[in-house]
């Protein structure tokens, strides 16, 4: 869940906060959720938007408490070099394409994404196609060796 939110351009701390908020709300409504995986991701995305707008009612703690053994929970979200490059490239996509890519990377098909995002399957496929094209360009650019 945290990685899904990070794909939407959140820091690890923002993503952890948004994911935690979504899980708290899901716990309260669990019996009524028909598609918990999609519901959690949608709520986490909305929570991220609230956090970024500055209208969140809660104030974040200065630091997250360490896990037993002295390790911060967010440290578990460390990205490898290649994954970090993908997340960086995702951050340059337009918001709609970035969101479609995030859903796709979490295993959703265009028809499901369209339903969740309130759009048509064709629009979801088109955003996915455009997002993939831009991602390829962004990821291949540094590998070109910069021979301009």
């Amino acid at each position: 869940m945290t990685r899904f939110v990070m794909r939407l351009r959140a820091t690890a701390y923002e993503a952890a906060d948004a994911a935690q908020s979504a899980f708290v709300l899901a716990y309260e409504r669990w019996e009524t959720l028909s598609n918990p995986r999609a519901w959690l991701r949608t709520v986490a995305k909305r929570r991220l938007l609230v956090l970024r707008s500055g209208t969140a009612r809660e104030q974040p703690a200065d630091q997250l408490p360490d896990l037993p053994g002295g390790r911060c929970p967010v440290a578990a979200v460390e990205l490898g070099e290649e994954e970090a490059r993908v997340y960086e490239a995702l951050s340059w996509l337009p918001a709609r394409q970035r969101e479609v890519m995030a859903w796709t990377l979490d295993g959703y098909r265009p028809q499901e994404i369209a339903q969740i995002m309130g759009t048509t399957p064709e629009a979801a496929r088109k955003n996915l196609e455009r997002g993939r094209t831009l991602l390829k360009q962004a990821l291949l650019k540094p590998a070109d060796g910069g021979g301009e």
Side-chain angles (χ1 to χ4, degrees):
M1 176 64 60
T2 301
R3 288 182 187 275
F4 173 82
V5 181
M6 288 175 66
R7 291 178 191 131
L8 299 175
R9 231 177 152 183
T11 66
Y13 288 97
E14 290 171 329
D17 190 19
Q20 177 66 28
S21 295
F23 277 108
V24 168
L25 290 172
Y27 178 77
E28 295 169 357
R29 296 171 174 81
W30 191 257
E31 298 298 322
T32 64
L33 300 180
S34 61
N35 187 349
R37 286 185 69 230
W39 189 90
L40 280 165
R41 284 160 178 75
T42 301
V43 171
K45 174 194 155 205
R46 289 179 185 154
R47 179 62 183 156
L48 174 64
L49 295 174
V50 169
L51 287 170
R52 290 216 168 134
S53 72
T55 60
R57 285 180 257 148
E58 303 168 9
Q59 293 298 319
D62 289 336
Q63 292 184 1
L64 292 173
D66 287 343
L67 291 173
R71 209 173 120 227
C72 176
V74 177
V77 187
E78 293 177 20
L79 302 176
E81 184 179 328
E82 186 174 310
E83 193 175 13
R85 282 188 62 223
V86 171
Y87 280 54
E88 175 66 23
L90 281 169
S91 75
W92 293 101
L93 295 179
R96 262 317 207 192
Q97 292 173 17
R98 184 172 50 248
E99 186 174 355
V100 169
M101 291 300 299
W103 285 103
T104 301
L105 291 168
D106 266 16
Y108 287 82
R109 296 185 321 261
Q111 294 85 353
E112 296 168 308
I113 296 168
Q115 184 178 8
I116 292 164
M117 291 179 64
T119 187
T120 65
E122 181 56 37
R125 279 190 289 277
K126 191 52 110 173
N127 277 302
L128 181 58
E129 177 186 329
R130 290 177 179 158
R132 283 179 174 158
T133 299
L134 290 175
L135 272 178
K136 285 178 189 174
Q137 291 172 355
L139 292 172
L140 292 176
K141 200 178 253 183
D144 288 344
E148 288 184 38

